[in-house]
Amino acid sequence: MRILHLDLKLIADNSVELRYFFDNPNQYERGSLSLQDISDLIEVSEQDYYVHLPVDHVVTGQKLFHWLDGSDRWLVQQINQYPGEGIVLAISASERLAHLPCEVLPDGSRFLVERSPAIVPVRWAKPDIVRSLTVAAEPENRALQALFMATSPLNMEPVLDFEAEEGRILEATARDRSISLIVQESGCLSELGYLVSAYGKGYFDVLHLTGHATFSDGEPRFITETETGEAYLASAAEIANRLQFRFPKLIFLSGCRTGQSGKSGAVPSMAEELLKSGAKAVLGWGQAVLDAEATTAAATLYQAISAGRSIAEAAALTYQDLIQHKARDWHLLRLYVSNTLPGELVTPLRGTRGRKPAPPPSVATQFLDPATQTVKVPTRESFVGRRRQLQNCLRTLTQPSDQIGVLIYGMGGLGKSSLAARLCDRFPPDSFKRVVWVGRIDQPNLVTDLAAELDSPESRQSSKNPNEELKFRLRRVFQQLTEEAAKPFVLVLDDFEINLEARGEGYVPQPEAASVLEALVWSIRELDAPHRLILTSRYDFEFTQLQYFYKQPLDAFRGADLRKKCDRLDGFNSKSQVDKTLQSQALKLTDGNPRLLEYLSHEILQNSNTDPTTTLNQLETDPINLRKQVLADSLLNQINQPMQEVLQRALIFELPVPREAITAICETISNAKESIDRVISLGLLEVSPDRSLRVPRILPLQPPKNLEALCKKGAEILHHAYLKDEKTTEEKLLEVHRLSLLGKAEKTAVIITKFLTKRWFYRGKFREVFWVCHNTLTVTEDFDILNRLAFSRVYPSFASLPSSPSPFSQKGRRGAGLEVPLPL
């Protein structure tokens, strides 16, 4: 593509100098533009372009085009010089001129980016010593190698669907295996730096950083995560510091306002700051962008780049695809370059011999049920949720420690195997070999499958030596692998509960499985070898070697993860033809269990051979068919009287709560602590990432007899616990309020109501104020609450009384409307 350079500079106080040329910077043309005209245009642009409901962008673009083109029509003449050729419009503009929306420059009734071939506006952050923009094309004869990192800090709303973004990229490039997408799961800059350094200079062609971004104290910031998942506002300098000497050719900052200058152009955008620190090309967004549109842009862009398109061509195709799909924010995508414009990053799919394809993106097909031979875990493209659990497990599996494996346990249907497969996918394909056993494990099948993965005939023979104890054979094989610098193993023992037997009130491994597991752990620890183990089981179990494992319990989906899962199911998503009342009834029956969500979606809501209303009513009356999906009869037989009473009392809490709350309401039960430990180990009490606990509603339990007293005590305990936490969410406070009403805890109900109404008045949520005050007055008469209820009714924005407050549902925007809970 030819490059038409446009250099705009403010001269004195009342004019703008324009220089333009194609190839030779010494043969430029010069023009002068009125500063007054451009000041008016900037003012109109700010009004018409950046507001949430802008006027027709063609009108805005025409104003800019006519100002640039002038009465001499130089711009039209220049772009018409090379018909049938694509053109890069490299525009250098600083200060207030940086706000000009050059992406919407039109060609009559359409935009320049819509032409075929396209004219692509590029924001040229021109250093003083650089006179022209050059194209640097050194394509690699292989698949595109991209690094993807999503940031999703704790207590940050809205939660973006970054899994969908990863999935769309993989789907768009799946046909020819044209991308190797390595994911850094932590969202933490320090971990990103370690990974980039480990791969070395030039390995990654692209870095895709997705998440929320904003301005803080007038400076652009990308909201990353600390090592513990808290929000950290990272500057461009901090991102550059982690990438120095290892910059990929393209960085995509897929967050709001990453391509927007601040303080009327006085503060460079984050994209420009990265260019100054050594980046070659940076894509960003000029304002807040919808999550779905950012995802579409990423898929189209990487499909084009991985097929051997140049960066400019890929940007043009991305604009065109967004316009075709009527994306509102298409024009906010901005490509920044500095000294050079990267050309093709990789060779075309069919253009060169020996082009190396990417490895398979997922090992999901290895997780097969031996009996049915059907895939039982989601592919990498369809996986959602479990971010904190993934981070915890990956930290154990990838960082040096005394722990050599993870045990993932929990009730059936929660996605233990899915999480194990996701962990395997997160290991770079060239760093580990994965071997998966599903169900029963013994020495013969361990040795046979392991030997099949060994390259050396001596190692294969040694592993099968019948005259030597298994642990010594494994030690020798692992030692040989270390000496050969071979890839270490990730060994997955899936559905390990088949290898357990009941003993007392818990489980222990069967003798054969115990000997295999002990040999594996001993041989790895004896050599301090880098091999790692992943076990999945419905139950935690007693075994000495588990002291070397990190235990990761699973809970049901809630909040953002539940919304994402439902969006991927035809029976529950927003486009579904299923009646919303039936959807709500089915959703309640599943209690957030992923397997039950899939079962009700496919077999009930989407099944034309059944009457969903009748079936759901039957399941509500007797959910035995649902229990069969996730509970084993032998498990229910393990529940003794104290354990059952613990579960019944804990049933009063609808949200996960701290263990202290359950301990407090169970203090009159004998051996309450041991009973709580036991129901946790059996997966009957779900454990959230923050270690809070909740009883699954699928269990066959009756409400406790002394419900009012327990609710009152639970409300008071949670009230004091949550008051200590500055980041307590509204959802938790509403749970305290609910318990206060059930337990007639008048004082607690009033305190929570006053706090919530103060926050909601500030945000204009008057219907929610009315709702909470109205319900509080059912248990107490309080003048202040009456006053707040009356105050909420005088606002014209007040509509009808909702059945419940709804301040929690938000559409994802990457930086707009972020809600971080206020301190109590």
Side-chain angles (χ1 to χ4, degrees):
M1 299 178 76
R2 294 183 178 272
I3 301 178
L4 175 58
H5 302 77
L6 278 68
D7 190 357
L8 297 167
K9 286 187 179 179
L10 290 171
I11 304 297
D13 295 327
N14 58 359
S15 66
V16 176
E17 181 188 62
L18 166 66
R19 295 184 180 186
Y20 58 91
F21 61 92
F22 266 106
D23 301 315
N24 190 343
N26 295 319
Q27 296 179 352
Y28 63 83
E29 300 290 336
R30 177 184 297 178
S32 180
L33 304 172
S34 168
L35 180 62
Q36 182 62 42
D37 290 344
I38 194 62
S39 296
D40 294 343
L41 179 60
I42 291 175
E43 182 179 348
V44 172
S45 297
E46 289 290 338
Q47 173 185 338
D48 293 346
Y49 179 74
Y50 289 119
V51 295
H52 292 307
L53 296 174
V55 298
D56 188 346
H57 296 314
V58 173
V59 175
T60 302
Q62 285 174 342
K63 293 176 183 178
L64 176 59
F65 189 93
H66 293 159
W67 177 77
L68 285 171
D69 198 30
S71 59
D72 294 335
R73 309 304 305 276
W74 72 269
L75 182 53
V76 171
Q77 296 177 45
Q78 293 295 318
I79 63 179
N80 288 338
Q81 279 190 49
Y82 302 100
E85 293 188 43
I87 295 175
V88 170
L89 204 62
I91 303 175
S92 173
S94 59
E95 300 180 22
R96 284 185 295 164
L97 301 177
H99 283 299
L100 294 174
C102 54
E103 288 75 18
V104 295
L105 285 170
D107 177 15
S109 61
R110 61 177 181 173
F111 301 103
L112 293 180
V113 295
E114 290 185 278
R115 286 176 50 148
S116 181
I119 296 177
V120 187
V122 171
R123 294 177 180 253
W124 183 25
K126 184 176 76 70
D128 292 337
I129 61 173
V130 175
R131 303 183 63 189
S132 65
L133 180 65
T134 58
V135 176
E138 298 178 356
E140 302 285 348
N141 194 30
R142 54 162 170 73
L144 187 73
Q145 294 178 167
L147 174 57
F148 181 101
M149 186 172 86
T151 66
S152 184
L154 293 164
N155 302 316
M156 181 69 69
E157 293 288 343
V159 176
L160 302 178
D161 197 352
F162 49 85
E163 299 98 337
E165 190 165 7
E166 177 188 350
R168 285 285 302 279
I169 293 171
L170 292 170
E171 289 172 0
T173 57
R175 177 176 175 178
D176 296 283
R177 282 170 51 193
S178 56
I179 191 170
S180 173
L181 191 67
I182 293 176
V183 177
Q184 214 302 318
E185 192 74 46
S186 71
C188 176
L189 282 185
S190 60
E191 295 298 324
L192 176 68
Y194 293 142
L195 190 148
V196 171
S197 296
Y199 277 90
K201 186 176 182 179
Y203 184 88
F204 292 111
D205 304 306
V206 178
L207 167 63
H208 187 90
L209 189 61
T210 184
H212 288 299
T214 187
F215 275 76
S216 178
D217 296 327
E219 300 291 332
R221 294 287 187 268
F222 206 101
I223 306 177
T224 61
E225 299 182 41
T226 65
E227 292 181 353
T228 57
E230 303 294 330
Y232 181 79
L233 277 62
S235 67
E238 290 172 305
I239 296 174
N241 183 56
R242 297 297 179 180
L243 299 174
Q244 60 178 321
F245 309 119
R246 298 289 189 273
F247 276 102
K249 294 176 183 177
L250 174 65
I251 298 175
F252 193 167
L253 298 174
S254 193
C256 291
R257 308 176 74 181
T258 51
Q260 178 188 351
S261 302
K263 296 183 178 178
S264 299
V267 177
S269 66
M270 177 167 278
E272 292 175 276
E273 290 286 4
L274 280 176
L275 291 175
K276 292 178 182 178
S277 299
K280 299 174 179 62
V282 183
L283 273 165
W285 295 95
Q287 250 289 349
V289 60
L290 292 174
D291 194 13
E293 294 181 9
T295 295
T296 299
T300 305
L301 180 81
Y302 295 126
Q303 183 181 41
I305 294 176
S306 66
R309 299 274 191 173
S310 70
I311 297 295
E313 290 172 345
L317 293 172
T318 303
Y319 284 126
Q320 291 172 1
D321 188 57
L322 289 171
I323 293 171
Q324 182 180 353
H325 287 89
K326 296 180 170 44
R328 187 193 67 189
D329 299 327
W330 71 266
H331 53 90
L332 297 173
L333 184 63
R334 296 176 175 179
L335 174 59
Y336 284 84
V337 296
S338 183
N339 300 348
T340 59
L341 171 62
E344 298 85 359
L345 303 186
V346 295
T347 54
L349 296 172
R350 303 287 183 265
T352 55
R353 296 184 62 182
R355 188 183 195 267
K356 183 180 178 181
S362 177
V363 298
T365 53
Q366 295 182 26
F367 287 75
L368 298 173
D369 185 335
T372 62
Q373 287 292 294
T374 57
V375 179
K376 63 173 181 177
V377 300
T379 62
R380 184 173 172 182
E381 294 88 339
S382 58
F383 185 92
V384 295
R386 305 302 187 200
R387 182 169 180 82
R388 304 308 160 196
Q389 293 93 336
L390 276 166
Q391 290 175 341
N392 294 338
C393 293
L394 284 171
R395 195 177 297 117
T396 299
L397 296 170
T398 59
Q399 296 180 6
S401 71
D402 290 337
Q403 294 173 321
I404 63 166
V406 296
L407 168 64
I408 304 168
Y409 71 95
M411 183 184 292
L414 292 179
K416 301 177 291 296
S417 301
S418 301
L419 180 58
R422 187 70 161 183
L423 288 170
C424 290
D425 287 341
R426 285 306 186 243
F427 287 108
D430 55 351
S431 63
F432 281 89
K433 278 189 175 182
R434 307 161 183 84
V435 186
V436 180
W437 292 271
V438 179
R440 195 163 303 283
I441 186 75
D442 54 29
Q443 287 198 31
N445 64 21
L446 175 80
V447 171
T448 300
D449 293 346
L450 197 58
E453 299 295 330
L454 301 174
D455 296 328
S456 166
E458 294 79 8
S459 296
R460 290 196 293 270
Q461 186 62 36
S462 177
S463 67
K464 297 179 180 180
N465 184 359
N467 299 318
E468 191 172 23
E469 193 176 343
L470 177 62
K471 67 178 184 179
F472 297 116
R473 282 183 274 158
L474 291 174
R475 181 177 65 177
R476 181 176 295 105
V477 169
F478 292 159
Q479 179 65 45
Q480 289 171 345
L481 291 175
T482 301
E483 293 171 354
E484 296 168 1
K487 296 178 187 177
F489 285 110
V490 175
L491 307 174
V492 183
L493 279 62
D494 190 31
D495 285 354
F496 194 77
E497 69 270 7
I498 295 177
N499 300 285
L500 303 178
E501 60 184 32
R503 177 182 289 179
E505 295 177 349
Y507 288 88
V508 296
Q510 296 169 358
E512 183 72 7
S515 66
V516 168
L517 190 55
E518 183 177 12
L520 284 169
V521 174
W522 181 87
S523 56
I524 294 172
R525 285 183 45 79
E526 180 75 8
L527 296 172
D528 194 22
H531 312 289
R532 291 295 179 262
L533 294 167
I534 300 175
L535 274 63
T536 73
S537 171
R538 289 197 176 194
Y539 325 118
D540 188 5
F541 55 93
E542 297 176 15
F543 188 56
T544 305
Q545 302 301 322
L546 286 185
Q547 63 183 304
Y548 305 117
F549 284 70
Y550 172 78
K551 294 184 178 182
Q552 179 61 68
L554 291 189
D555 58 343
F557 279 161
R558 297 187 58 80
D561 286 351
L562 180 57
R563 290 195 297 271
K564 292 177 186 180
K565 181 66 177 178
C566 289
D567 285 344
R568 287 157 175 80
L569 296 173
D570 293 338
F572 289 103
N573 63 36
S574 58
K575 298 178 181 179
S576 174
Q577 300 300 311
V578 177
D579 182 78
K580 300 301 180 184
T581 302
L582 291 179
Q583 283 187 350
S584 179
Q585 184 181 9
L587 192 63
K588 184 177 180 181
L589 282 169
T590 68
D591 196 33
N593 186 290
R595 183 183 298 167
L596 296 183
L597 283 164
E598 294 171 359
Y599 171 72
L600 289 184
S601 175
H602 301 324
E603 303 298 330
I604 308 300
L605 299 180
Q606 294 288 302
N607 190 342
S608 58
N609 297 321
T610 64
D611 177 12
T613 302
T614 302
T615 304
L616 291 177
N617 289 337
Q618 290 173 347
L619 289 174
E620 245 182 5
T621 304
D622 185 10
I624 186 170
N625 287 333
L626 291 182
R627 292 194 189 111
K628 287 180 179 179
Q629 303 284 330
V630 296
L631 292 173
D633 292 336
S634 59
L635 173 63
L636 297 178
N637 294 334
Q638 296 286 320
I639 304 176
N640 60 26
Q641 184 60 37
M643 291 162 60
Q644 182 170 346
E645 193 167 351
V646 165
L647 292 170
Q648 284 180 317
R649 294 191 183 189
L651 200 62
I652 67 169
F653 301 114
E654 291 189 353
L655 293 184
V657 298
R659 176 168 176 150
E660 308 86 75
I662 294 179
T663 302
I665 63 172
C666 295
E667 60 185 3
T668 59
I669 301 175
S670 60
N671 300 319
K673 180 180 179 302
E674 291 77 8
S675 295
I676 294 173
D677 289 337
R678 183 55 56 198
V679 292
I680 291 175
S681 68
L682 294 176
L684 298 173
L685 200 56
E686 295 174 351
V687 184
S688 299
D690 62 358
R691 298 293 164 178
S692 55
L693 307 175
R694 180 181 179 273
V695 178
R697 268 41 185 179
I698 197 66
L699 294 177
L701 297 170
Q702 296 296 322
K705 296 178 181 179
N706 49 343
L707 179 62
E708 182 177 319
L710 289 174
C711 287
K712 181 176 183 179
K713 188 168 188 176
E716 293 169 348
I717 293 166
L718 291 182
H719 171 221
H720 293 298
Y722 291 157
L723 278 178
K724 299 175 184 177
D725 185 359
E726 293 185 351
K727 296 179 180 179
T728 292
T729 63
E730 290 177 356
E731 187 181 28
K732 291 180 178 179
L733 295 175
L734 285 169
E735 172 71 353
V736 178
H737 184 261
R738 183 188 67 84
L739 290 168
S740 300
L741 301 185
L742 290 174
K744 296 183 173 53
E746 302 175 12
K747 183 177 179 182
T748 302
V750 169
I751 292 173
I752 297 298
T753 300
K754 288 182 178 179
F755 176 78
L756 286 172
T757 53
K758 181 179 179 181
R759 177 182 289 185
W760 287 340
F761 272 130
Y762 178 76
R763 296 178 181 174
K765 295 182 176 182
F766 305 111
R767 287 183 298 172
E768 285 80 4
V769 171
F770 183 95
W771 178 89
V772 73
C773 291
H774 178 271
N775 284 321
T776 301
L777 291 172
T778 62
V779 296
T780 184
E781 293 184 1
D782 185 277
F783 176 78
D784 194 6
I785 301 300
L786 279 168
N787 185 49
R788 294 177 188 229
L789 182 144
F791 193 62
S792 72
R793 293 299 299 268
V794 302
Y795 278 83
S797 62
F798 181 87
S800 60
L801 174 65
S803 59
S804 62
S806 55
F808 310 115
S809 59
Q810 303 184 52
K811 282 287 185 182
R813 289 177 67 87
R814 303 194 172 194
L818 299 183
E819 291 197 9
V820 181
L822 301 174
L824 291 175

